[in-house]
Amino acid sequence: MVFALLLAPATALAETVVEDVRTWNGPDHTRVVLDLSSPTDHELFTLEGPHRAVIDLADARLDPALLEGIRDEGPIRRIRSGRRDDGVRIVFDLDRALATESFRVAPNENYGHRLVVDLNHVGGGVDDGSSGGRGDAPVRTAESGRTGEFVVAIDAGHGGEDPGAIGAAGTYEKDIVLAVARKLANRVNAVDGLRAVLIRDGDYYIGLRDRTRKARESGADLFISLHADAFHDRRVKGSSVFVLSRNGATSEMARVLAQRANRADRIGGVSLADKDEQLASVLVDLSRAHTVEESVDVARVLIEELDALGDVHGGDVEQAGFAVLKSLDMPSVLVELAFISNPDEERRLRSKAYQRQLADGLVHGVKAYVSRTRPELALKVDDSEYMVRRGDTLSAIAQRHAVSVGALRRVNDIGGDMITAGRTLRIP
């Protein structure tokens, strides 16, 4: 046995094995991930008549059984494979011509070596669900002015092959934040004068720059990115709200200036194409300062609402250089809903009732912010429900809504005077 191995060619011993093939279909592209035993060279190209994408892997082998169950995934009709020279050829049979790209990904804590193939959807007609269930929404640009509504872009972090943090019970961050994002979108859309845009409405990955791009294209006035934090100490708990740090914003200024050659960047509706470097730098910096200030205002309102539900980690607005917050032209916040690494908070995050409470708290914060900054919208607030905050009493809630304490008890089946923060009460 050992003697036979010594006689085997060195290339056979170094052969890369395709261990798994995974697919995600999103509104903008379909992603195929090949899990590899080791990195290997590859070539990607397309063919016509019929439409196909082909990837050749050098010094590799693939069990065809891995491809048998992949049928009608977005534009992919099927995937097949065959031996070629010293490697393997994988063929994607497509229903139309697509732009393709590929890249290798190094191992991380969740996966080993990967080769990622993106099939970018060409042409229109793809419904990404970003209209929040209201049909085709007009795209508001800086030139066209406001549409008479406040647009909230809701970004569920991670997705697809990126699960985010994973709780002790196996809960994926990507699933929790998508569930809360959908509930938040429903609540935003229920308020006259507000409209939600879901950046991700399925289990697929969107690049960080593409997330803010989608928000801009939808004419968003506010960008909220939802996450669930993790830490090696499982005792750490609480919500957090982040805005872009000054250092992060400064690096973003350099990015925008570096891209001036494409003549596409605008700051507050002012084109940078015909500005010299010094003036462009000033415009970007002024926009950054104003946007970060507005973001802090939003974050403080949201923290107050989250504090009504439980612990807030740190107790104040955090600042960090998250790439997803570097949108410059709209207030942007990143909300860590809770620590998914904390077993108690993981259990709460899995609860649909707690997810609804989180969505309620966030929409109350959005309404408070919009009422202060866009009073002309005259938001119609639904007074039929009220979420209990810490420090509230039944008598104070009854007085605020001009109802009796007895009526509150009856419609909410409350026997005494005890109420818990985060509970939603019906207002008679």
Side-chain angles (χ1 to χ4, degrees), residues 66-104:
L66 293 176
L67 308 177
E68 289 178 357
I70 303 177
R71 293 286 191 278
D72 298 321
E73 284 282 339
I76 302 174
R77 298 281 70 87
R78 65 168 180 162
I79 305 178
R80 48 197 172 88
S81 66
R83 295 293 301 178
R84 179 176 174 83
D85 300 330
D86 293 329
V88 64
R89 167 166 287 186
I90 303 173
V91 179
F92 304 81
D93 291 322
L94 307 174
D95 63 4
R96 60 187 182 274
L98 297 173
T100 63
E101 56 184 333
S102 62
F103 53 93
R104 291 189 293 190

Side-chain angles (χ1 to χ4, degrees), residues 132-155:
R134 292 189 175 188
D136 294 331
V139 174
R140 180 176 54 76
T141 64
E143 296 83 359
S144 64
R146 293 178 174 178
T147 61
E149 60 184 0
F150 189 95
V151 181
V152 183
I154 304 169
D155 170 41

Side-chain angles (χ1 to χ4, degrees), residues 181-192:
R182 286 171 170 166
K183 291 177 175 61
L184 176 57
N186 289 336
R187 281 152 178 75
V188 168
N189 285 332
V191 180
D192 288 343

Side-chain angles (χ1 to χ4, degrees), residues 393-408 425 427:
T393 63
L394 272 181
S395 59
I397 295 172
Q399 184 178 8
R400 184 180 306 158
H401 292 87
V403 298
S404 69
V405 172
L408 269 182
L425 299 180
I427 306 299

